[in-house]
Amino acid sequence: MAFEIESGTILTAEQFQNHVKIYAGPGAGKTHFLVENVKNIVTNHPIIAQSRLRKVLCITYTNAAVEEITHRFNRFSDSVEVFTIHGFIIEHIIKPFQIDLRRIIKEQFTIDIQGNKPITSQIEGLGILHGIDREEIYKFIIDKTGETIPPSYSKKLMGEIQVDNTVFLESGKTQLSASNSIAENHQLPIKKYAWSESRKLTHNEILFFGYQILKANPTALYSLRVKFPFIFVDEFQDTNPLQTLLIKLIGGKSTTIGIIGDIAQSIYSFQGARPSQFANFTPNGERQLSEYVINGNRRSTNNIVHFCNFLRQSDTNVIQTSIRPYDSEDKKAIIEETPVRFLIGDSENVKLIIASVIERGGVVLTRAWAKAFAYIRDIEDDQIKILTSIYNSYYNSPIDIRAEITEINNVTWVRAFKFIFKLSEAHEKGSFVDALNAFKLYTDIDRRKLSHSIVRQITEIIDDTFKGLTDSSSPVEVITIFNNRLDEIKYNDLKVLLLGESFYVPVIDEYDLNNNKPIVSNLTALTWATSFKLFTEVFSPGSKYMTVHQAKGLEWDEVIVSVSPNNFDKIKLPAVYNKPEILKEAAADEFVRMYYVACSRARDSLYIHLADGFDQNIIDTALKDRNVQYEIIT
């Protein structure tokens, strides 16, 4: 049974003689607990406070969380290191133990890597073969196999060949996973090229080789235990089994492990995370594990907390209570009386409520981002279907389209659309600087070459490109117009002297042509209005439309939950209310956890949008005696 504490509790040195597990739900103040306890350790625990070499290690799930936690440590940062698990392995295992890495690759994959150039991680958002001419890889394959006909694989498919962590975890065997379209005798040569020439590891391989190095090299393991007497892992429910094995290995002697997480928020099974990793965590070695629970919720009202407790009723470890602070008693009375509102159907009344919530700064959370377009005015049904098809075309792909649009820009059509939208904004505002920023998506601009002739040509080609543009225009057609204009003689100085003679804006790349052909017709059918909203309203800073996965860790005053299961979830929505289960690892349980995460993002007001015809009696029966004030609106 876990011992109840508060987010402000500081555990004693005696309590940290054991490993610790902290159960903490949404709004519990997990980060506050972590930061304040680490500050206390580096200030008062002699093993850290009296040494300039020993530090506390904090591992969290995302780069954004790393930045947030690092910022909170402020003046204590010299005694603390904060990483994602991949960042930690690269910095403290892969980089310093390159000889071990090459030896393991040779022993387990018969690949002998020569030279001292370091092997490191892929760049975020880029494939491990980025920047490599695929013809070089084809030549490498031919040289290794003795074949005479070169293959025609895309670089993306070749870059996805990697160590199969699932097979390793299940059987202890080491082998590669690859697309069925890549010949078996080509897989090892391609992997050899990636490791020996490109010198890059995939994210899964970072985990695999990090663990293998620590298992094989006692010195590497000992050095980590000496440097990090304390390791804290935040959001442990998102940890996959190989990460867990690595953390347990380090904690087998001397190092104290602290894990913090929430089973009800485990929604990353597609990345290997399992709720059982947190629930059943037991450390290596002889030291015991002490368990604590933070039941307070400082985020949400009583009504919202009670409804979320209903969804997580199968988990008896955490039963949250609202301890939310308020500025005044009057404000508290008003907010606490706000019921959970169930919006059923799409009547004008329901649409008006949803529109007003969004207007006030509320957000809509959906299962898939394409569903958000049902909540944006003036988007035609056929356009919503096209967006859904585009989303589905990446379903089994590692590509995160939202991340591509908001920050990465590596998908060819995303970069092209972003270019033409930036150029359009430059046209509307008459901004020459914005026009240059659009071109910078593809090439470096040497401002010393900006002659009067080139400046005039930039202005004219923009005017020519957007002449006659309407909301129903196709961005693909507008990009084609731009490319055709750029080939005209009158723009020769712009193309040859500033942009480069081979400059053009591609929309479709080899991967899409070979492996994702439906996207070509879908992109062509998207209108300017729909695409512009996609880039500026849905996938933008301060977006009011998000998937549940993207909303994790965030919170808003008002939230509209429009989360419906798909075929892969193996559950119907009424079952979420009839008997919600979250502890198991079936797809249905993960969907309930996803539903829970969505609802728990709300601070003041929670709206749940249900399809027309949803049986109101299901809600009434489910929430009877649950101490939840609610309202059903049709």
Side-chain angles (χ1 to χ4, degrees):
M1 187 68 181
F3 182 77
E4 185 167 359
I5 58 174
E6 298 177 351
S7 62
T9 299
I10 302 296
L11 299 183
T12 65
E14 289 75 22
Q15 288 171 309
F16 274 124
Q17 288 179 359
N18 290 339
H19 301 293
V20 298
K21 178 196 289 187
I22 312 294
Y23 296 89
K30 295 190 295 293
T31 303
H32 177 77
F33 172 86
L34 170 65
V35 169
E36 294 308 310
N37 272 272
V38 170
K39 286 180 180 179
N40 182 62
I41 288 171
V42 301
T43 303
N44 299 311
H45 202 295
I47 200 170
I48 301 290
Q50 297 175 14
S51 171
R52 290 185 300 174
L53 300 178
R54 291 179 173 174
K55 299 185 178 185
V56 175
L57 172 65
C58 294
I59 295 174
T60 191
Y61 193 68
T62 65
N63 290 322
V66 168
E67 293 177 7
E68 169 65 17
I69 293 174
T70 301
H71 175 73
R72 292 203 195 189
F73 281 127
N74 195 5
R75 65 184 179 88
F76 297 89
S77 58
D78 288 344
S79 298
V80 185
E81 293 192 16
V82 187
F83 291 98
T84 62
I85 186 66
H86 292 90
F88 163 68
I89 294 172
I90 284 292
E91 188 66 29
H92 288 285
I93 305 176
I94 300 294
K95 282 184 179 179
F97 298 102
Q98 290 278 305
I99 293 175
D100 295 274
L101 173 61
R102 291 196 292 269
R103 176 179 52 78
I104 291 168
I105 289 175
K106 183 175 182 179
E107 289 175 354
Q108 300 192 14
F109 297 94
T110 66
I111 294 176
D112 189 9
I113 297 178
Q114 300 296 318
N116 294 320
K117 183 181 177 182
I119 303 170
T120 185
S121 66
Q122 66 186 98
I123 299 172
E124 191 72 34
L126 297 179
I128 61 173
L129 299 175
H130 178 75
I132 304 293
D133 186 344
R134 62 176 178 167
E135 299 298 330
E136 287 186 24
I137 309 173
Y138 297 162
K139 183 178 183 300
F140 192 89
I141 295 171
I142 290 174
D143 289 344
K144 297 303 176 185
T145 61
E147 297 175 358
T148 57
I149 301 176
S152 58
Y153 313 127
S154 70
K155 279 200 305 183
K156 188 171 186 315
L157 275 186
M158 292 189 287
E160 289 172 359
I161 300 174
Q162 62 181 340
V163 178
D164 195 324
N165 286 350
T166 301
V167 169
F168 173 72
L169 288 165
E170 291 175 350
S171 66
K173 296 178 181 179
T174 55
Q175 66 182 52
L176 299 175
S177 66
S179 167
N180 292 332
S181 61
I182 295 182
E184 188 172 349
N185 68 318
H186 290 174
Q187 294 175 15
L188 205 58
I190 293 171
K191 194 72 261 186
K192 181 171 184 176
Y193 186 94
W195 287 340
S196 62
E197 302 298 324
S198 185
R199 315 290 277 206
K200 295 290 193 297
L201 303 174
T202 69
H203 286 116
N204 281 343
E205 290 169 351
I206 291 169
L207 299 177
F208 175 82
F209 288 116
Y211 177 70
Q212 292 280 25
I213 290 170
L214 293 190
K215 285 285 287 184
N217 187 340
T219 301
L221 184 56
Y222 176 76
S223 67
L224 289 177
R225 288 170 175 165
V226 170
K227 182 170 185 177
F228 299 114
F230 294 88
I231 297 178
F232 290 90
V233 186
D234 195 16
E235 304 290 356
F236 196 85
Q237 76 279 346
D238 298 329
T239 299
N240 73 35
L242 199 48
Q243 295 173 30
T244 301
L245 287 177
L246 187 144
I247 295 298
K248 289 170 70 172
L249 187 60
I250 300 173
K253 290 183 180 178
S254 66
T255 295
T256 297
I257 302 297
I259 65 170
I260 307 169
D262 183 17
I263 291 172
Q265 297 187 70
S266 178
I267 58 173
Y268 287 96
S269 65
F270 61 91
Q271 294 182 354
R274 299 287 184 270
S276 59
Q277 290 296 118
F278 182 72
N280 302 331
F281 179 85
T282 53
N284 294 349
E286 298 179 356
R287 280 199 293 165
Q288 300 298 307
L289 176 71
S290 298
E291 298 188 352
Y292 302 90
V293 59
I294 303 174
N295 278 321
N297 182 319
R298 305 179 66 84
R299 173 187 299 163
S300 304
T301 66
N302 273 303
N303 262 330
I304 295 171
V305 169
H306 291 158
F307 178 72
C308 289
N309 282 343
F310 156 73
L311 291 174
R312 74 177 299 160
Q313 61 186 270
S314 59
D315 175 24
T316 57
N317 284 307
V318 177
I319 304 174
Q320 286 200 304
T321 55
S322 177
I323 55 169
R324 174 180 168 168
Y326 291 91
D327 297 335
S328 68
E329 286 300 314
D330 289 342
K331 183 177 180 181
K332 177 179 179 180
I334 293 170
I335 292 177
E336 283 294 343
E337 289 179 1
T338 303
V340 175
R341 296 185 175 99
F342 293 89
L343 311 176
I344 299 180
D346 294 301
S347 67
E348 287 304 313
N349 185 34
V350 167
K351 289 179 179 178
L352 183 63
I353 291 171
I354 291 172
S356 63
V357 171
I358 294 172
E359 182 68 25
R360 291 194 298 267
V363 300
V364 177
L365 302 183
T366 60
R367 178 73 168 84
W369 59 259
K371 298 294 184 182
F373 277 81
Y375 293 89
I376 302 177
R377 298 292 180 105
D378 304 321
I379 297 292
E380 301 295 331
D381 288 344
D382 67 318
Q383 292 288 293
I384 294 174
K385 290 177 181 177
I386 292 169
L387 287 167
T388 303
S389 296
I390 293 173
Y391 168 81
N392 289 338
S393 69
Y394 292 102
Y395 190 82
N396 292 317
S397 163
I399 294 173
D400 180 347
I401 286 297
R402 184 185 186 93
E404 286 291 336
I405 293 176
T406 55
E407 54 184 327
I408 298 175
N409 302 327
N410 288 324
V411 170
T412 301
W413 71 266
V414 169
R415 188 187 293 253
F417 276 43
K418 185 166 286 190
F419 166 81
I420 207 66
F421 291 146
K422 282 180 176 291
L423 211 60
S424 169
E425 290 177 11
H427 178 248
E428 289 182 7
K429 295 190 296 185
S431 171
F432 185 74
V433 172
D434 286 344
L436 292 182
N437 286 335
F439 289 117
K440 285 179 182 178
L441 284 170
Y442 288 97
T443 186
D444 293 329
I445 299 295
D446 187 348
R447 287 178 175 266
R448 293 172 298 181
K449 296 181 179 179
L450 291 173
S451 64
H452 289 297
S453 172
I454 290 177
V455 170
R456 176 178 51 77
Q457 288 178 27
I458 290 175
T459 302
E460 288 183 3
I461 197 172
I462 291 175
D463 289 340
D464 281 352
T465 299
F466 297 106
K467 190 183 302 179
L469 176 70
T470 67
D471 283 348
S472 60
S473 299
S474 161
V476 173
E477 292 176 357
V478 177
I479 294 165
T480 301
I481 291 171
F482 171 83
N483 285 329
N484 291 339
R485 292 282 187 272
L486 197 59
D487 283 335
E488 295 177 6
I489 294 176
K490 66 177 181 177
Y491 297 119
N492 190 64
D493 287 352
L494 169 61
K495 182 169 185 177
V496 175
L497 300 180
L498 185 69
L499 302 178
E501 198 163 351
S502 62
F503 183 93
Y504 85 109
V505 179
V507 177
I508 303 299
D509 60 23
E510 57 169 337
Y511 176 79
D512 288 329
L513 286 173
N514 294 331
N515 305 289
N516 197 8
K517 291 181 181 178
I519 202 170
V520 178
S521 58
N522 284 324
L523 288 175
T524 304
L526 278 181
T527 67
W528 184 273
T530 299
S531 305
F532 192 76
K533 286 178 180 290
L534 176 68
F535 278 69
T536 60
E537 292 188 25
V538 180
F539 295 159
S540 62
S543 172
K544 297 178 181 179
Y545 313 95
M546 286 189 174
T547 67
V548 181
H549 288 94
Q550 287 139 6
K552 195 162 177 285
L554 303 176
E555 58 185 61
W556 296 269
D557 287 343
E558 297 184 273
V559 172
I560 300 168
V561 174
S562 178
V563 180
S564 300
N566 59 32
N567 293 335
F568 299 102
D569 294 317
K570 307 297 182 185
I571 190 175
K572 301 296 183 183
L573 202 51
V576 174
Y577 289 87
N578 290 333
K579 191 178 181 182
E581 297 281 352
I582 66 161
L583 294 178
K584 299 176 184 177
E585 297 180 353
D589 295 77
E590 181 160 32
F591 178 80
V592 179
R593 293 194 294 271
M594 195 181 308
Y595 209 80
Y596 174 85
V597 169
C599 294
S600 64
R601 301 305 95 195
R603 286 191 288 252
D604 299 341
S605 300
L606 172 62
Y607 301 80
I608 299 175
H609 192 195
L610 302 167
D612 190 27
F614 191 90
D615 189 350
Q616 300 181 28
N617 293 324
I618 292 174
I619 299 171
D620 293 331
T621 302
L623 298 184
K624 183 180 180 181
D625 301 324
R626 286 286 173 180
N627 200 20
V628 179
Q629 296 180 47
Y630 64 94
E631 182 180 359
I632 296 175
I633 301 172
T634 58

